[in-house]
Amino acid sequence: MQNERKGIIAALIAYMCWGLFPLYWKALAGVGSEEILASRVIWSFILTLLFVIFIRKSHALVRDVKALWQHQKSFWTLMLAAYLIMVNWYLYIWAVNHNHILETSLGYYLNPIVSILLGIIFLKERLSKIQLIAVAIALIGVVIMMVNYGRIPYVSLGLACSFGVYGLLKKRIKLDATRGLIIETAFVLPLALLYYAYLAYEGKMAFGMVDWKTTVLLIGGGAVTSIPLVLFAIGAQNIPLYLVGFIQYVSPTLTLLIGVFVYGETFGSTELLSFGFIWVALAIFSVTTILDVRKHHHKTV
């Protein structure tokens, strides 16, 4: 019970941090999304590496890298996953700083549904009839949003799909979350450093050139990436997966509230209807998941 309480608290804080991300990236609105991403990669790598060294897990990190290299399929799969999560990070940062916060919220509400669909396609997982109805309800919500915008919600679908495929790829690789972040950012690190070299050459670099606040926030981008991930790992290790599934909705809900009440993004009747369909779909998935877990538990007792 003590471990479960610790896990719930850790997971809650992790998802609250992710939900509050718009406040952080908005504070860097004067910096280009590309530089914010490059800085996030560099400082995530540095700070997470220092943390791993501090907790004396550097030998485990070396073992992870060697094991990956020995299994070439896992090595290249993780590299692909690393670039996918960078696409996800970039889309999120760009969307927040171009006043599309509600679309990011929609994207992360859609993410569990996209993950389920990917499981059906690639892992041959099966859905019950009620779950198939839930998928249809969620799709109606997306269609309503498309009609309202007069376009496909690229940001929402891009975030949901990039993170969904990332999760699918990572599912096949057993790797500690913290050390995994070091390896993933290491794959992208050369490009991030090259981009910073280009910015320095062109005289367009914000880091160290604008003011101390901007520089500190750019460095802090590494910390706000690493800390929630460590907390999430603690949570996932100590609580059931269905509980993690419930808690994950804290993040897009906070983002939605920030978009509407802090930054004044429009949330009218059409948005409410669209989000409403998706919330109903998620409620159906959550209830059926709990019932399945309880049914399985009774069978094994």
Side-chain angles (χ1 to χ4, degrees):
M1 187 60 71
Q2 185 74 25
N3 283 344
E4 188 166 300
R5 190 181 295 113
K6 181 177 76 172
I8 290 170
I9 292 169
L12 261 175
I13 295 172
Y15 280 110
M16 284 174 69
C17 288
W18 284 324
L20 294 170
F21 262 9
L23 298 173
Y24 197 92
W25 304 129
K26 275 285 190 183
L28 284 164
V31 181
S33 301
E34 295 82 2
E35 180 173 357
I36 295 173
L37 176 65
S39 181
R40 188 179 181 185
V41 168
I42 294 165
W43 290 105
S44 295
F45 175 81
I46 293 170
L47 295 176
T48 312
L49 181 61
L50 289 173
F51 174 72
V52 165
I53 293 169
F54 177 75
I55 61 172
R56 299 181 179 180
K57 292 288 184 180
S58 52
H59 291 299
L61 175 61
V62 173
R63 282 198 303 271
D64 288 339
V65 173
K66 286 180 178 177
L68 276 170
W69 187 246
Q70 287 168 359
H71 298 86
Q72 288 286 298
K73 187 178 178 182
S74 295
F75 181 88
W76 296 111
T77 299
L78 189 63
M79 178 180 280
L80 177 58
Y83 279 91
L84 266 174
I85 200 63
M86 295 309 135
V87 169
N88 183 274
W89 286 5
Y90 177 78
L91 266 177
Y92 189 92
I93 294 165
W94 181 90
V96 166
N97 287 339
H98 288 80
N99 304 313
H100 296 289
I101 294 174
L102 292 192
E103 282 193 62
T104 69
S105 174
L106 178 65
Y108 285 110
Y109 276 126
L110 285 173
N111 180 63
I113 295 164
V114 169
S115 296
I116 288 163
L117 291 173
L118 289 170
I120 294 169
I121 296 166
F122 294 102
L123 304 178
K124 309 302 178 187
E125 296 175 353
R126 293 187 178 183
L127 293 185
S128 65
K129 287 182 180 178
I130 189 72
Q131 289 173 325
L132 287 170
I133 291 169
V135 170
I137 291 169
L139 290 174
I140 291 169
V142 174
V143 170
I144 291 169
M145 190 69 78
M146 286 170 62
V147 172
N148 181 44
Y149 287 164
R151 61 176 175 80
I152 296 170
Y154 294 109
V155 170
S156 303
L157 293 175
L159 287 170
C161 292
S162 60
F163 199 79
V165 177
Y166 169 76
L168 179 69
L169 294 174
K170 287 289 294 286
K171 191 179 180 71
R172 301 165 188 268
I173 303 167
K174 301 297 180 188
L175 196 61
D176 171 81
T178 309
R179 298 196 298 273
L181 179 63
I182 296 172
I183 298 168
E184 286 172 43
T185 49
F187 282 129
V188 192
L189 188 64
L191 283 182
L193 291 170
L194 279 172
Y195 185 71
Y196 252 110
Y198 161 77
L199 288 178
Y201 178 77
E202 293 289 326
K204 297 177 181 177
M205 187 167 68
F207 182 84
M209 299 295 177
V210 179
D211 53 40
W212 66 269
K213 179 189 168 187
T214 300
T215 300
V216 169
L217 285 171
L218 285 169
I219 294 171
V224 299
T225 299
S226 307
I227 292 169
L229 191 73
V230 173
L231 289 169
F232 172 77
I234 294 168
Q237 288 165 6
N238 289 285
I239 58 177
L241 196 58
Y242 77 87
L243 200 50
V244 175
F246 264 131
I247 296 171
Q248 75 176 323
Y249 300 129
V250 168
S251 175
T253 302
L254 273 176
T255 300
L256 174 65
L257 293 172
I258 288 168
V260 174
F261 294 107
V262 178
Y263 297 110
E265 290 193 16
T266 304
F267 191 78
S269 55
T270 309
E271 284 81 8
L272 181 60
L273 184 63
S274 177
F275 274 80
F277 272 99
I278 292 160
W279 290 333
V280 168
L282 292 173
I284 292 170
F285 276 120
S286 299
V287 170
T288 54
T289 301
I290 289 172
L291 291 175
D292 286 345
V293 168
R294 286 183 176 176
K295 189 177 177 182
H296 178 74
H297 178 72
H298 288 313
K299 281 183 179 179
T300 54
V301 171

